[in-house]
Amino acid sequence: MTDSTEPAVAPDDRLTTSGTADRANPTSRPATSDATAMAATPTDQPADSDNTEHDSTPTTSPTSTSPARRLLGATATMASGTLVSRLFGAARVILTGYILIPNSRQSDIFALALMVPNGIYTIVATGLVNAILVPQIVRATTNDRDGGEAYINRILTAFLLIIVAVTALATVGAPVLTGLFTGPSWQAPELAAQYQAMVTLTAFCMPQILFYGLFVLVGQVLNARGVFGPMMWAPVVNNIVQISTLIIYMGVWGQGNSTVNGQAFTTAQMGLLAGGWALALIAQLTVLLPFTRRIGFHWRPRFDFRHTGLGHTFSLAKWSLLFVGVANLALFAVTYLLMDGTISGAGAGKAVYDNAYLIFAMPHSLIAVSIATALVPSLSRLAAERAMGPFGRELAGGLRLTIAALFPFSLILIALSQAIPAAVYRSGRGSDLIGWTLLWLSLGLVPFSVQYVLQRAYFALEDTRSVFVFELIMALVWVTSAWAVVQLGQVGPSWIAPAVAGTNSLAYLIGLIVTLIHLHRRLPGFAIGALLGYLARAGLAALPGALLAGLIVWYQTHRWDSLIADILGLVTALVAAVGVYWGMAKLCRLTEVSQVVKLVRQKISGTS
């Protein structure tokens, strides 16, 4: 499913980024927009179609700007901003955990209050914006005589009107929406105060829908013009404001504990949290505005929507909207299960799952999201030109880079799944529950990230219908298996989040298998066997380093028990694992790893 659980950092991924081709101006689009026909045309395949999956280094000269080098460069620019943002985000989550311990009622109430507006925004807007806006703007900028200015103004006006209307309706409907995510136990008389606080805080957070929408709209305009950095760096400001809010909260009400965090929030507490999060999103949006002027874009509202090509845009958005809707309905269904985790006062509920997901999503956000965002504009242009041979090679390069970078992190997270949260929260604050949840999530990191990149390729082909089908399959697997394990298996409160995490990883794997089979039929030159062979070599290269990391942490925790020792143990384990993987990657001929290392060295030395 898409990545929407960490929106406050950057409305992304489950949410989290883009897709494709046919511009809506009837006078400028190709004779056919049938992506299926484009992909199936034999003459569109390269003479040596096996090149699609070869992992040899590029044959271009070192001084030329090859597609692989451009992709690495754009990915590095975005990943640097995402890394800083995620580090600040991690600090925010750690601070939140000390104010609202993760396995408490208040922590789940706050997590739900943030999730509801984000989920609504994602269903209504992200499916329209992320999957449709960038490719349509690319096409308008390329083909329209005014550089796409009139079309962009119209589409931004239309999206903004939708988002404002949804924000107003969601705020009024907060009591009903809150009830959909909580079981009857939350509405028991002894929890009446806590439930009312949940409804109120959710209503206070609803304006975030508007600010999410404005940020992504402006950011995607910049992305479509090839300006990726600001949207990746702006969330740093977001996190700084949120951290400041939490510091004020701690200064006024102090550090949390199981007794305090089991009670209801006061109105002042809810006002500070909701107001601080809204202010953070406003600050994040403000960072982007100077860059819109730099690219020469000035938004002017336009309401002349008829006969301007927007009908085609919203026709594409139909399937994207269904795709995102299914993903979030699945998330809502399992949230209902997760909210039962803390009814008794402590357990593995939504906040535990979210804390584990933050750690799990960090390598995905740094690597897969950055690769996909950098890949989409070029894939969109290649799809529009019906150059399916180069399209397949560009996609294959992005997938190899994703696998090479993420496989070691998947195994490292599994090996360190208990050590990481233990170092952050120490004992007694739910760290063991977060660790087990992280372990089960990490099993699905590679399938999740590869599927994410493949979804963006389908968006570039304007095949949003297939993406919807894939998402529907994954959603059905996740929801049915999670409900079967939690409800029929009658797992205890401490195992609800790990059970949901494990079934989520199962859904990622099944979804990836289905997508690869379908893609092979769409692009006959796309060799699944070569990709699976590369995957096996990456796993073989990553395994020794992960085992070494686990051994180092096991030895450290059994010999020294202190926060400093835990941090040093984690750092040592991570460095050792990465070093071993680098050496093994050379033996296994994973040339993408060497390219990444070379790029990092150049960035550090300041050379190009």
Side-chain angles (χ1 to χ4, degrees):
M1 272 103 344
T2 53
D3 170 11
S4 60
T5 59
E6 187 53 27
V9 176
D12 72 309
D13 140 75
R14 233 177 231 275
L15 330 213
T16 169
T17 310
S18 309
T20 186
D22 187 61
R23 241 299 287 118
N25 189 330
T27 62
S28 63
R29 65 175 180 257
T32 177
S33 62
D34 189 339
T36 304
M38 293 192 303
T41 305
T43 56
D44 286 333
Q45 303 302 327
D48 180 10
S49 60
D50 286 341
N51 288 342
T52 301
E53 291 301 324
H54 287 171
D55 54 50
S56 59
T57 54
T59 57
T60 53
S61 67
T63 58
S64 65
T65 307
S66 66
R69 185 177 177 82
R70 287 197 305 271
L71 177 59
L72 279 170
T75 300
T77 299
M78 288 180 287
S80 61
T82 304
L83 174 60
V84 175
S85 173
R86 288 288 174 174
L87 291 175
F88 275 99
R92 169 181 54 78
V93 170
I94 292 170
L95 185 56
T96 303
Y98 277 91
I99 296 171
L100 313 172
I101 60 175
N103 58 341
S104 69
R105 290 193 191 111
Q106 281 191 351
S107 189
D108 270 8
I109 289 171
F110 186 42
L112 182 70
L114 292 177
M115 188 213 73
V116 173
N118 170 60
I120 295 171
Y121 161 76
T122 304
I123 289 177
V124 176
T126 302
L128 305 176
V129 176
N130 285 352
I132 303 299
L133 192 60
V134 166
Q136 298 301 309
I137 291 175
V138 167
R139 182 62 65 88
T141 303
T142 303
N143 294 337
D144 292 359
R145 286 187 294 271
D146 64 349
E149 182 176 349
Y151 177 82
I152 294 171
N153 282 326
R154 289 189 191 99
I155 201 169
L156 290 183
T157 302
F159 282 128
L160 184 58
L161 290 174
I162 293 172
I163 292 170
V164 169
V166 170
T167 301
L169 291 173
T171 302
V172 174
V176 175
L177 293 169
T178 304
L180 294 176
F181 300 107
T182 52
S185 299
W186 272 100
Q187 301 182 40
E190 61 269 22
L191 294 179
Q194 286 88 340
Y195 184 74
Q196 183 56 48
M198 187 187 303
V199 173
T200 303
L201 184 56
T202 301
F204 284 178
C205 290
M206 285 302 183
Q208 294 177 16
I209 298 172
L210 175 62
F211 303 131
Y212 284 143
L214 290 172
F215 173 74
V216 173
L217 284 171
V218 175
Q220 297 293 34
V221 170
L222 293 175
N223 283 355
R225 301 288 182 89
V227 181
F228 300 106
M231 195 174 184
M232 297 298 170
W233 281 95
V236 174
V237 178
N238 178 310
N239 282 306
I240 290 174
V241 175
Q242 290 176 348
I243 290 171
S244 301
T245 301
L246 293 172
I247 291 173
I248 295 172
Y249 188 103
M250 179 178 283
V252 176
W253 290 286
Q255 183 175 326
N257 56 58
S258 58
T259 301
V260 171
N261 293 152
Q263 301 170 0
F265 284 108
T266 66
T267 303
Q269 289 172 332
M270 292 186 289
L272 176 61
L273 290 173
W277 255 244
L279 182 62
L281 289 171
I282 294 172
Q284 178 179 257
L285 170 65
T286 304
V287 171
L288 299 185
L289 298 181
F291 294 94
T292 61
R293 291 191 293 270
R294 185 175 299 178
I295 64 173
F297 175 74
H298 302 281
W299 178 57
R300 297 176 180 83
R302 294 191 61 151
F303 301 92
D304 51 335
F305 302 135
R306 293 176 62 85
H307 308 299
T308 57
L310 287 183
H312 175 71
T313 297
F314 283 96
S315 176
L316 290 176
K318 171 183 65 179
W319 291 107
S320 295
L321 185 60
L322 288 171
F323 149 66
V324 177
V326 165
N328 280 274
L329 288 175
L331 181 62
F332 295 165
V334 297
T335 296
Y336 186 95
L337 296 175
L338 289 169
M339 289 301 293
D340 282 347
T342 55
I343 286 178
S344 62
K350 176 158 178 56
V352 166
Y353 184 88
D354 287 351
N355 274 266
Y357 193 91
L358 175 103
I359 302 170
F360 159 82
M362 185 172 289
H364 168 80
S365 300
L366 287 172
I367 298 165
V369 173
S370 298
I371 290 172
T373 305
L375 202 58
V376 162
S378 60
L379 289 180
S380 298
R381 292 186 182 94
L382 291 171
E385 295 166 1
R386 308 173 83 179
M388 303 315 295
F391 181 97
R393 290 191 293 273
E394 185 92 347
L395 174 60
L399 291 175
R400 291 195 300 270
L401 189 59
T402 301
I403 292 169
L406 281 173
F407 213 132
F409 282 107
S410 174
L411 297 183
I412 289 170
L413 286 177
I414 292 172
L416 306 182
S417 57
Q418 287 294 331
I420 294 173
V424 173
Y425 293 115
R426 312 301 293 164
S427 61
R429 303 182 75 88
S431 63
D432 57 330
L433 305 180
I434 296 172
W436 284 111
T437 306
L438 175 60
L439 185 151
W440 286 104
L441 279 173
S442 299
L443 290 171
L445 177 59
V446 173
F448 172 45
S449 296
V450 172
Q451 176 75 3
Y452 181 87
V453 175
L454 288 173
Q455 284 175 344
R456 273 56 199 172
Y458 274 88
F459 287 145
L461 292 170
E462 288 193 341
D463 188 0
T464 49
R465 179 179 177 180
S466 293
V467 176
F468 164 71
V469 173
F470 303 150
E471 191 65 35
L472 181 62
I473 293 171
M474 289 190 292
L476 289 173
V477 171
W478 189 22
V479 172
T480 55
S481 58
W483 276 73
V485 172
V486 174
Q487 298 285 19
L488 300 181
Q490 296 183 337
V491 302
S494 296
W495 290 100
I496 292 178
V500 170
T503 54
N504 201 7
S505 292
L506 175 65
Y508 293 148
L509 177 61
I510 292 176
L512 177 60
I513 293 171
V514 172
T515 304
L516 286 173
I517 293 173
H518 186 267
L519 182 65
H520 180 65
R521 294 174 180 173
R522 291 287 306 273
L523 297 173
F526 192 88
I528 296 179
L531 186 66
L532 293 178
Y534 190 89
L535 183 68
R537 283 187 284 135
L540 180 63
L543 184 59
L547 292 174
L548 178 60
L551 182 62
I552 290 172
V553 168
W554 178 86
Y555 179 78
Q556 174 266 309
T557 54
H558 282 75
R559 189 171 179 85
W560 299 284
D561 182 19
S562 69
L563 176 60
I564 295 177
D566 287 350
I567 294 174
L568 289 176
L570 286 173
V571 172
T572 303
L574 182 60
V575 171
V578 171
V580 171
Y581 177 62
W582 183 19
M584 288 295 297
K586 292 182 177 180
L587 294 177
C588 295
R589 296 181 292 111
L590 302 177
T591 57
E592 283 74 15
V593 176
S594 298
Q595 292 173 11
V596 171
V597 171
K598 181 179 180 181
L599 178 69
V600 171
R601 285 176 172 173
Q602 291 174 344
K603 290 287 183 182
I604 294 174
S605 64
T607 60
S608 58

